[in-house]
Amino acid sequence: MSNIVIIGAQWGDEGKGKVVDLLTHEVDAIVRFQGGNNAGHTLVVKDRKLVLHLIPSGILHSGKICLIGNGVVLDPEVFCNELDTLAKQGVDVAPYRLKVSRKTHVIMPYHKLLDSAREAAKKDGKIGTTGRGIGPCYEDKAARTGIRAADLTDPQLLRRKIEAALVEKNALFSLYGAQPMDADEVFEQVRPYAERVAGYLADVSSEIQQRLESGKGVLFEGAQGTHLDIDHGTYPFVTSSICVAGNASAGSGCSPRVLDRIVAIVKAYTTRVGSGPFPTELNDETGEFLQSRGHEFGATTGRKRRCGWLDICILRESARLNGPTDICVTKLDVLDGLKTLKLCVKYRYQGNEYAYPPQAENALAEVEPIYEVMPGWDEDTSAVRAWEELPENARRYLLRMEELLGVPVTMISVGPDRDQIIRR
């Protein structure tokens, strides 16, 4: 068995959940290594739609172990709600097959209040945060004042840490015009969830090592997308964690030398949720066509996704940052019926042409996309299950993408169901 990393190559929402679901058959354990419940994986299994925000989508496969790594920030209430939702669907969520790293940082009620208060205060300068406390939790982690999952097992320690955190947080709430929070009230709000989460705690690094030593494969599941990465994304319109493949090892507790395969998930066009530059965005009938046919609404927020042509420059940067071994293209079927397709192959910026995004902050908002035009196809691809059966122009589109990026396309998704996949 090989160890596989799944990453999004655009701005998230590429369809990673389905690919994780497919590749789970090839591994023994699935690890979520970054982000929080600002992510959402939508899965369709036998006409049943499930949306998961924290728990790896591999939980739907019996006999598989699901792990939440130290690089994740965990909202105890959301975690417990997902446990209950899955249990009602008949999914086994017992602690023997779902484990949380003791080093995972915990999202507290004051993180969520601070997140929403800050965003409201920005008025016209909003970055599009989901308001779920992800950023403030990562801030506390970096400031070494955070609460980790292991702290949930010690009520006295947890209470002291909450009180210490609120000294600073209440000062910030005053600055933003929000009401201060009481330490006892926060403790009582978190306590019932803390008791449940405590039963799922484990040494995730050791769990991974055991499987590697026994020759069993591990799948590392990322959230968001490369261009929402805190370091390499379109800063400041980014998430608060490291989304690139290199974080799979750091965010889960293993050596990067064990990572055998890196699969980049690429939507056949480009979408983005929230604020931030988007060079190929289409504010016209074609954009509305993609939004409607692709059902482009955020799995976590329900927000309408902005849609545009495929951006090769963005994908080149993703290939450089992640070193993918292969690509899975999703939602190819959404392009069915378009007469022409465009690929942004370069940018024009300040009189020069660029194959990669310019590095200056917000420079992407000033670039002019240089397009290559290709013919579309009228055929319905949703029932296609073999490469040879795809319309000729669809194959040309995929081969051109492959040629421009220098990475093979090995899987193509042509619909939301598990079986709507072409392996090449």
Side-chain angles (χ1 to χ4, degrees), residues 136-151:
C137 185
Y138 275 116
E139 286 178 40
D140 281 4
K141 176 178 180 177
R144 298 174 293 277
T145 59
I147 291 174
R148 301 208 291 185
D151 300 333

Side-chain angles (χ1 to χ4, degrees), residues 304-382:
K304 182 178 178 179
R305 295 180 187 135
R306 300 151 64 192
C307 298
W309 296 119
L310 189 69
D311 191 331
I312 295 296
C313 301
I314 285 292
L315 294 176
R316 280 196 194 99
E317 179 79 343
S318 294
R320 179 164 69 178
L321 293 169
N322 295 294
T325 54
D326 55 312
I327 289 171
C328 173
V329 175
T330 61
K331 291 197 171 183
L332 182 71
D333 56 300
V334 174
L335 301 180
D336 295 353
L338 289 174
K339 298 299 181 185
T340 59
L341 303 172
K342 293 183 179 181
L343 297 86
C344 173
V345 294
K346 286 186 179 180
Y347 296 139
R348 187 172 287 109
Y349 176 67
Q350 296 183 345
N352 296 310
E353 292 186 3
Y354 289 78
Y356 293 84
Q359 296 295 302
E361 182 171 320
N362 217 32
L364 209 59
E366 301 174 19
V367 302
E368 175 191 348
I370 300 173
Y371 288 113
E372 185 174 296
V373 180
M374 299 189 70
W377 57 90
D378 291 323
E379 299 93 328
D380 179 1
T381 61
S382 63

Side-chain angles (χ1 to χ4, degrees), residues 152-167:
L152 301 178
T153 64
D154 186 337
Q156 292 183 343
L157 175 62
L158 177 60
R159 173 61 179 76
R160 288 198 304 271
K161 285 197 166 188
I162 290 171
E163 186 171 19
L166 284 177
V167 173

